Amino acid sequence: MNGIRAPDGWSIVWLPEVDSTNDYLRRGSHPPGTVVVAERQTSGRGRRDNRWHSVEGESLTFSVLVRPEVQIALWSRLSLAAGLAASECLETMGYEVGIKWPNDLWIRGRKVAGILVESSDAGAVVGIGMNLTNRRLDPELEATSLLLEDGRDWEAGEVLELLLPRLAAWSSRIGADFEELIDGVRRRCVLSGRRVRLQTSRGGMEGQVIGIGARGELRIETPEGVESVIQAEQVRLL
Ligand code: BTN
């Protein structure tokens, strides 16, 4: 799987096994642009303290350490940047992808990839897990893999080579020139016009999604009026 080209200023470390690629980058002192790819994660993590299960040889699991040159308050936009980068990557591979705000990637209503952005002393760690050749997935997860979608057998390295340049490009555009990124997310957002139930730090909320605002927030029509949500712990389609 080795030997793929990294974007300028980025370098790739391949590990046969690690607990979690996000944890690996948060622990050590690595330069920004370090990408760590694992053949196997023993404690892969998802959002909201969930576990991220992946089977060796069937998934792409990697993280990159970035240090955007914009104020830290804007770094949360990295999750939208990573979602858009991964969507574009999958589209060039021939898949029709939707973004379930903020950054789950869906194919035909099932999750194919997830993103976990976390802060570290050295910057922000953007972790991406994508189901490539899984034949069996826990039905409770309502997930899919690229193989299950169209029978094609992708290798992690070839997908990574398509994804990294897009990730490098979009993660450098979370500051003043954020508009194009947001437009890309909007065009793919599977929640627009749908009724949802959200769990936020301020409690639960139900309503119809109007769309995504200029700061990347989800705008929802609720019985109490239009709400803007920057971060949600859970988003459920009703
Ligand atoms: C989610 O959908 O809940 C996010 C899943 C993120 C999984 C990836 S796999 C690579 C990186 N390392 C981890 O432990 N998690 C992320």
Side-chain angles (χ1 to χ4, degrees):
M1 282 218 287
N2 227 322
I4 73 159
R5 254 193 323 272
D8 282 350
W10 285 24
S11 61
I12 303 175
V13 180
W14 291 86
L15 300 175
E17 181 177 300
V18 71
D19 48 358
S20 145
T21 53
N22 268 40
D23 291 340
Y24 178 90
L25 284 177
R26 292 174 83 205
R27 277 196 294 266
S29 63
H30 309 278
T34 306
V35 179
V36 55
V37 195
E39 313 263 350
R40 198 159 90 85
Q41 286 192 127
T42 53
S43 304
R45 292 186 296 106
R47 295 173 63 221
R48 303 184 306 277
D49 292 333
N50 286 331
R51 284 210 60 185
W52 179 262
H53 296 277
S54 52
V55 179
E56 184 169 356
E58 296 189 347
S59 321
L60 170 62
T61 46
F62 78 98
S63 306
V64 56
L65 177 69
V66 291
R67 204 175 163 77
E69 286 167 6
V70 296
Q71 69 226 63
I72 290 182
L74 302 184
W75 288 12
S76 60
R77 294 177 172 183
L78 284 168
S79 12
L80 298 173
L84 182 57
S87 303
E88 287 184 343
C89 163
L90 287 167
E91 284 160 5
T92 58
M93 292 158 63
Y95 298 93
E96 205 171 305
V97 191
I99 298 178
K100 182 184 169 236
W101 183 91
N103 56 13
D104 279 353
L105 298 193
W106 277 15
I107 298 181
R108 294 191 308 133
R110 291 185 167 264
K111 180 163 169 171
V112 71
I115 293 162
L116 179 65
V117 178
E118 297 178 302
S119 58
S120 82
D121 293 344
V125 175
V126 179
I128 301 184
M130 189 183 288
N131 301 328
L132 303 181
T133 58
N134 314 63
R135 287 181 192 279
R136 250 176 254 110
L137 289 155
D138 181 347
E140 271 189 19
L141 297 175
E142 296 183 357
T144 188
S145 73
L146 300 183
L147 182 91
L148 288 174
E149 288 303 313
D150 67 359
R152 282 188 288 168
D153 204 350
W154 293 95
E155 271 187 23
E158 52 184 338
V159 180
L160 192 68
E161 195 156 27
L162 293 169
L163 209 169
L164 289 183
R166 290 170 174 86
L167 187 56
W170 285 121
S171 55
S172 70
R173 299 188 60 184
I174 58 169
D177 53 356
F178 185 51
E179 212 173 292
E180 203 182 321
L181 199 168
I182 279 299
D183 273 346
V185 176
R186 271 192 198 118
R187 279 199 300 277
R188 294 166 177 86
C189 180
V190 295
L191 299 181
S192 296
R194 305 283 304 265
R195 283 197 67 76
V196 294
R197 174 153 187 80
L198 298 189
Q199 198 56 47
T200 73
S201 52
R202 289 182 291 140
M205 181 190 305
E206 217 172 283
Q208 178 159 10
V209 175
I210 303 170
I212 296 176
R215 291 169 297 126
E217 75 280 17
L218 197 66
R219 303 191 66 240
I220 304 166
E221 177 102 61
T222 73
E224 287 76 44
V226 175
E227 298 275 352
S228 289
V229 178
I230 277 281
Q231 250 182 349
E233 275 139 40
Q234 197 174 46
V235 185
R236 255 212 196 118
L237 273 170
L238 298 175

